[in-house]
Amino acid sequence: MKRSPLSRVESLIRKVVEEPFTWLAGDPLDPFRLATHLVRHYEDAPNDGTWPNQFTIYLNPDDYAEMAAAGLPELEAQVADYVALLAERRGLHPSEPAQVAFEADTAELPRRAHIVASRHAEPPDSHTEVFAVNAGQAVVTAIRAADAFLIVQGRQHVPLDRPVTRIGRRMDNDIVLDSSSISRQHAQIRWRQPYFVLYDVSRHGQTAVNGVAVREHILRPGDVIALSDVMFVYGEGRDEPLVDAPLFADEELDTTMQKPYE
């Protein structure tokens, strides 16, 4: 029997969802990319109140130990934040927020995760439930409160109103720079509460802040960013100035180039 176009599409979506999540050896797991993978489970589920409310991610024991040393509760909360944010951006409205949990499994290969999406009849404990309900909105609210922006070449005003802004010559970047001196994937500006952090992902050392070459830099109002010969000024409209603070000890350069609203 010939399958309908709709059934073929549904089969393709299911295949994509069931593919294992992998990342490169030596690179940290990207919580935003993982959340993008998890949100696909919502897209493949019927909108009848039976959407998943629990994502369990099974990891190789060595990968699990590495993440546990860096702080698993924080990583689980961050992935849950991004899942809620991405679901909202895609017009998906689960009846309740999903919880995220990492587990060790000796059957898993290194740098590969097996994801089980499930639904539990009993809600999680009250503290976790309240935190998860507010988590996605908390990210949006914090970004809006920062009221951050870039001035490009002294002319164009670009608001920073998303968790990740990607800059480069390639057309799938969020800020596209038509200049041969700019790498296809040149820089990222990521929200790391309560700051925006600039990352150089060009690997050519052509990113500088206030005349100093950087790989990563917490942005402050008035910072002058140079991506090769293209200049930006970073600004904020938040009421309370931030005190100086070092970059988080567990921050690592993240070269993932997935757009945040795909």
Side-chain angles (χ1 to χ4, degrees), residues 51-194:
W51 286 358
N53 62 3
Q54 175 72 43
F55 292 113
T56 306
I57 299 115
Y58 293 94
L59 304 170
N60 176 273
D62 290 340
D63 293 333
Y64 180 87
E66 178 184 321
M67 294 180 193
L72 270 181
E74 293 82 2
L75 178 60
E76 290 169 345
Q78 187 177 26
V79 174
D81 284 356
Y82 283 144
V83 168
L85 181 65
L86 286 167
E88 177 189 349
R89 291 294 187 182
R90 296 182 183 197
L92 303 172
H93 304 289
S95 56
E96 58 196 282
Q99 306 299 304
V100 174
F102 290 90
E103 301 287 348
D105 186 346
T106 56
E108 288 304 318
L109 297 174
R111 291 307 197 252
R112 173 170 165 155
H114 175 64
I115 298 166
V116 174
S118 57
R119 180 169 184 81
H120 299 288
E122 294 297 323
D125 66 85
S126 58
H127 172 76
T128 303
E129 183 177 11
V130 170
F131 175 80
V133 167
N134 295 324
Q137 186 58 41
V139 173
V140 175
T141 300
I143 290 175
R144 288 175 179 169
D147 191 19
F149 57 89
L150 295 174
I151 302 297
V152 185
Q153 296 286 70
R155 297 188 299 272
Q156 184 181 3
H157 179 281
V158 179
L160 297 176
D161 56 3
R162 57 187 66 187
V164 185
T165 298
R166 293 167 170 81
I167 308 171
R169 194 174 74 248
R170 222 166 63 177
M171 292 303 297
D172 60 351
N173 286 288
D174 302 298
I175 300 176
V176 179
L177 301 175
D178 185 15
S179 172
S180 60
S181 64
I182 298 296
S183 298
R184 288 178 297 173
Q185 302 168 348
H186 199 113
Q188 296 178 5
I189 297 177
R190 286 181 169 264
W191 175 251
R192 291 290 183 261
Q193 175 103 3

Side-chain angles (χ1 to χ4, degrees), residues 142 145-148 191 194-196 219 221 234 236-242:
D147 191 19
W191 175 251
Y195 310 97
F196 275 107
L219 291 169
Y234 174 80
E236 292 179 358
R238 68 173 105 201
D239 296 329
E240 296 295 329
L242 294 172

